[in-house]
Amino acid sequence: MSSKLKLLYWELYNKCRRFLDPFPHTNYMKKNKFLFIHIPKTAGTSVLNALSIHFRQHYDFRVYRAPEPKLFSQSFKFCFVRNPYSRMISTYRYLTQEKGQKTDAYIKQLISDKHMSFDDFVEYFCARGYGEFHPLFKTQSCYIYDVDLKCKVDFVGRFENLDDDFKFICSVIGKKQSLERVNVSKKRPSDVVLTKKIADMIYDFYKLDFELLDYDKDSWQLVR
């Protein structure tokens, strides 16, 4: 099976999973009155563990709102976002290390088979558009913004301000939890050198994120 067919297969798989279990977290929301929308590669696993949330789906706000709009409206909704340049680097590092989720295995194998450098990786999944088929590459804004570009969560925390923003969230939901960093992609010497050419590809792919989430286009020079 070709790489593109595998990407389409997993997209279909995720749609079927949604069909079979279309309304995740509803009971949790009823009990706790808050909702964490987990955007990939934004420290979400650390947040899930700290709040003792034992399910790990990357669904957008529409999925959570669909079964009970009133409950969704009344719940405190939050997420974390990240500089798109940094997020892309973290995704590459995650996919080129040994551990990972089973649903990401075919992408890891693809990267390995094609001996993809970071530049190859960005060109393949951003410039050629294959990234649109997998949650790891979807825009962060699509998880929390509607078609009118209105944010549908109550608080958008930032990876760059993770500890302070998590403390604020805990104060709102009435929790006293510490945040332990888990599932961190390991940095390796010289595995990524972000050039302007590659940064431009990432910016073009995630332009809406840069605009809606207020990240600077020129911030690639500060990202490592």
Short mmCIF file of all heavy atoms in Angstrom, two decimals, residues 162-189:
data_model
loop_
_atom_site.label_atom_id
_atom_site.label_comp_id
_atom_site.label_asym_id
_atom_site.label_seq_id
_atom_site.Cartn_x
_atom_site.Cartn_y
_atom_site.Cartn_z
N LEU A 162 3.56 27.56 29.89
CA LEU A 162 2.83 26.37 30.32
C LEU A 162 2.52 26.35 31.82
O LEU A 162 1.38 26.15 32.23
CB LEU A 162 3.62 25.12 29.92
CG LEU A 162 3.00 23.77 30.27
CD1 LEU A 162 1.66 23.58 29.58
CD2 LEU A 162 3.96 22.64 29.86
N ASP A 163 3.53 26.54 32.64
CA ASP A 163 3.33 26.39 34.09
C ASP A 163 2.35 27.43 34.65
O ASP A 163 1.43 27.08 35.41
CB ASP A 163 4.68 26.51 34.82
CG ASP A 163 5.58 25.32 34.53
OD1 ASP A 163 5.05 24.20 34.36
OD2 ASP A 163 6.80 25.50 34.45
N ASP A 164 2.53 28.68 34.28
CA ASP A 164 1.64 29.73 34.79
C ASP A 164 0.21 29.57 34.26
O ASP A 164 -0.75 29.75 35.01
CB ASP A 164 2.18 31.11 34.40
CG ASP A 164 3.41 31.50 35.20
OD1 ASP A 164 3.64 30.88 36.26
OD2 ASP A 164 4.13 32.41 34.77
N ASP A 165 0.08 29.22 33.01
CA ASP A 165 -1.26 29.05 32.44
C ASP A 165 -1.96 27.83 33.04
O ASP A 165 -3.17 27.85 33.26
CB ASP A 165 -1.18 28.91 30.91
CG ASP A 165 -0.92 30.25 30.24
OD1 ASP A 165 -0.98 31.29 30.92
OD2 ASP A 165 -0.65 30.26 29.02
N PHE A 166 -1.20 26.78 33.32
CA PHE A 166 -1.81 25.61 33.95
C PHE A 166 -2.27 25.95 35.37
O PHE A 166 -3.32 25.50 35.82
CB PHE A 166 -0.84 24.43 33.97
CG PHE A 166 -1.43 23.18 34.54
CD1 PHE A 166 -2.39 22.46 33.83
CD2 PHE A 166 -1.06 22.73 35.80
CE1 PHE A 166 -2.95 21.30 34.36
CE2 PHE A 166 -1.62 21.58 36.34
CZ PHE A 166 -2.57 20.86 35.62
N LYS A 167 -1.49 26.75 36.08
CA LYS A 167 -1.89 27.16 37.43
C LYS A 167 -3.20 27.96 37.37
O LYS A 167 -4.07 27.79 38.23
CB LYS A 167 -0.79 28.01 38.07
CG LYS A 167 0.44 27.21 38.49
CD LYS A 167 1.51 28.13 39.08
CE LYS A 167 2.75 27.35 39.46
NZ LYS A 167 3.83 28.24 39.97
N PHE A 168 -3.32 28.81 36.37
CA PHE A 168 -4.56 29.58 36.22
C PHE A 168 -5.74 28.65 35.96
O PHE A 168 -6.81 28.81 36.57
CB PHE A 168 -4.44 30.59 35.07
CG PHE A 168 -5.74 31.25 34.73
CD1 PHE A 168 -6.25 32.26 35.53
CD2 PHE A 168 -6.46 30.84 33.61
CE1 PHE A 168 -7.48 32.86 35.23
CE2 PHE A 168 -7.69 31.44 33.30
CZ PHE A 168 -8.19 32.45 34.11
N ILE A 169 -5.56 27.68 35.10
CA ILE A 169 -6.62 26.73 34.80
C ILE A 169 -7.04 25.99 36.07
O ILE A 169 -8.24 25.84 36.35
CB ILE A 169 -6.15 25.73 33.73
CG1 ILE A 169 -6.05 26.44 32.37
CG2 ILE A 169 -7.10 24.54 33.62
CD1 ILE A 169 -5.28 25.66 31.33
N CYS A 170 -6.07 25.55 36.84
CA CYS A 170 -6.38 24.84 38.09
C CYS A 170 -7.16 25.73 39.06
O CYS A 170 -8.05 25.25 39.76
CB CYS A 170 -5.10 24.34 38.75
SG CYS A 170 -4.35 22.92 37.90
N SER A 171 -6.85 27.01 39.08
CA SER A 171 -7.57 27.92 39.97
C SER A 171 -9.03 28.05 39.54
O SER A 171 -9.92 28.22 40.38
CB SER A 171 -6.89 29.29 39.99
OG SER A 171 -7.08 29.99 38.76
N VAL A 172 -9.28 27.97 38.24
CA VAL A 172 -10.65 28.09 37.72
C VAL A 172 -11.45 26.82 37.99
O VAL A 172 -12.62 26.88 38.40
CB VAL A 172 -10.64 28.40 36.21
CG1 VAL A 172 -12.06 28.38 35.64
CG2 VAL A 172 -10.00 29.76 35.95
N ILE A 173 -10.84 25.66 37.78
CA ILE A 173 -11.58 24.40 37.91
C ILE A 173 -11.50 23.83 39.33
O ILE A 173 -12.08 22.77 39.61
CB ILE A 173 -11.09 23.35 36.90
CG1 ILE A 173 -9.62 22.97 37.17
CG2 ILE A 173 -11.27 23.86 35.48
CD1 ILE A 173 -9.09 21.89 36.23
N GLY A 174 -10.81 24.52 40.22
CA GLY A 174 -10.77 24.10 41.61
C GLY A 174 -9.88 22.90 41.87
O GLY A 174 -10.17 22.08 42.75
N LYS A 175 -8.78 22.80 41.14
CA LYS A 175 -7.84 21.70 41.34
C LYS A 175 -6.52 22.26 41.88
O LYS A 175 -6.15 23.40 41.62
CB LYS A 175 -7.56 20.98 40.02
CG LYS A 175 -8.79 20.38 39.35
CD LYS A 175 -9.15 19.04 39.93
CE LYS A 175 -10.23 18.37 39.12
NZ LYS A 175 -10.60 17.03 39.67
N LYS A 176 -5.82 21.43 42.63
CA LYS A 176 -4.48 21.77 43.08
C LYS A 176 -3.55 20.67 42.60
O LYS A 176 -3.27 19.71 43.31
CB LYS A 176 -4.43 21.91 44.60
CG LYS A 176 -5.21 23.11 45.14
CD LYS A 176 -5.05 23.23 46.64
CE LYS A 176 -5.79 24.46 47.17
NZ LYS A 176 -5.65 24.61 48.65
N GLN A 177 -3.11 20.81 41.36
CA GLN A 177 -2.31 19.77 40.73
C GLN A 177 -0.98 20.34 40.28
O GLN A 177 -0.88 21.51 39.89
CB GLN A 177 -3.04 19.20 39.51
CG GLN A 177 -4.45 18.70 39.77
CD GLN A 177 -4.48 17.50 40.68
OE1 GLN A 177 -5.19 17.48 41.68
NE2 GLN A 177 -3.69 16.49 40.36
N SER A 178 0.05 19.51 40.31
CA SER A 178 1.34 19.88 39.75
C SER A 178 1.46 19.31 38.35
O SER A 178 0.83 18.30 38.03
CB SER A 178 2.48 19.36 40.64
OG SER A 178 2.41 17.95 40.75
N LEU A 179 2.25 19.95 37.53
CA LEU A 179 2.38 19.55 36.13
C LEU A 179 3.75 18.92 35.90
O LEU A 179 4.77 19.58 35.97
CB LEU A 179 2.19 20.76 35.22
CG LEU A 179 2.09 20.48 33.72
CD1 LEU A 179 0.82 19.70 33.41
CD2 LEU A 179 2.10 21.79 32.94
N GLU A 180 3.74 17.63 35.62
CA GLU A 180 4.98 16.91 35.32
C GLU A 180 5.12 16.77 33.82
O GLU A 180 4.18 16.35 33.14
CB GLU A 180 4.96 15.52 35.98
CG GLU A 180 6.20 14.70 35.70
CD GLU A 180 6.12 13.30 36.30
OE1 GLU A 180 5.12 13.01 36.98
OE2 GLU A 180 7.05 12.51 36.06
N ARG A 181 6.26 17.12 33.29
CA ARG A 181 6.48 17.05 31.85
C ARG A 181 6.67 15.59 31.43
O ARG A 181 7.60 14.92 31.89
CB ARG A 181 7.71 17.86 31.43
CG ARG A 181 7.70 19.31 31.90
CD ARG A 181 6.56 20.10 31.27
NE ARG A 181 6.52 21.47 31.76
CZ ARG A 181 7.15 22.49 31.20
NH1 ARG A 181 7.88 22.31 30.13
NH2 ARG A 181 7.03 23.72 31.70
N VAL A 182 5.79 15.11 30.54
CA VAL A 182 5.90 13.76 30.02
C VAL A 182 5.77 13.81 28.50
O VAL A 182 5.32 14.80 27.92
CB VAL A 182 4.82 12.82 30.60
CG1 VAL A 182 5.00 12.66 32.10
CG2 VAL A 182 3.42 13.34 30.30
N ASN A 183 6.18 12.71 27.85
CA ASN A 183 6.08 12.59 26.39
C ASN A 183 6.83 13.72 25.68
O ASN A 183 6.40 14.22 24.64
CB ASN A 183 4.61 12.59 25.95
CG ASN A 183 4.44 12.00 24.55
OD1 ASN A 183 5.21 11.14 24.14
ND2 ASN A 183 3.44 12.47 23.84
N VAL A 184 7.95 14.13 26.26
CA VAL A 184 8.75 15.21 25.68
C VAL A 184 9.64 14.65 24.59
O VAL A 184 10.35 13.66 24.80
CB VAL A 184 9.62 15.89 26.77
CG1 VAL A 184 10.49 16.97 26.14
CG2 VAL A 184 8.73 16.47 27.86
N SER A 185 9.61 15.26 23.41
CA SER A 185 10.47 14.83 22.30
C SER A 185 11.91 15.21 22.60
O SER A 185 12.20 16.36 22.89
CB SER A 185 10.00 15.48 21.00
OG SER A 185 8.67 15.12 20.71
N LYS A 186 12.78 14.24 22.52
CA LYS A 186 14.18 14.48 22.87
C LYS A 186 14.90 15.26 21.78
O LYS A 186 14.79 14.95 20.59
CB LYS A 186 14.89 13.14 23.11
CG LYS A 186 14.39 12.38 24.33
CD LYS A 186 15.17 11.10 24.52
CE LYS A 186 14.68 10.35 25.76
NZ LYS A 186 15.43 9.08 25.97
N LYS A 187 15.66 16.26 22.21
CA LYS A 187 16.50 17.01 21.27
C LYS A 187 17.75 16.20 20.99
O LYS A 187 18.31 15.56 21.88
CB LYS A 187 16.87 18.37 21.85
CG LYS A 187 15.68 19.31 22.02
CD LYS A 187 16.14 20.66 22.53
CE LYS A 187 14.96 21.61 22.68
NZ LYS A 187 15.37 22.95 23.17
N ARG A 188 18.18 16.23 19.74
CA ARG A 188 19.41 15.55 19.35
C ARG A 188 20.32 16.55 18.64
O ARG A 188 19.83 17.42 17.92
CB ARG A 188 19.09 14.36 18.45
CG ARG A 188 18.28 13.28 19.15
CD ARG A 188 17.97 12.14 18.21
NE ARG A 188 17.05 12.54 17.15
CZ ARG A 188 15.73 12.61 17.31
NH1 ARG A 188 15.19 12.31 18.47
NH2 ARG A 188 14.94 12.97 16.31
N PRO A 189 21.63 16.43 18.83
CA PRO A 189 22.55 17.40 18.22
C PRO A 189 22.36 17.51 16.71
O PRO A 189 22.40 16.51 16.00
CB PRO A 189 23.93 16.83 18.57
CG PRO A 189 23.69 15.98 19.78
CD PRO A 189 22.32 15.40 19.61
#
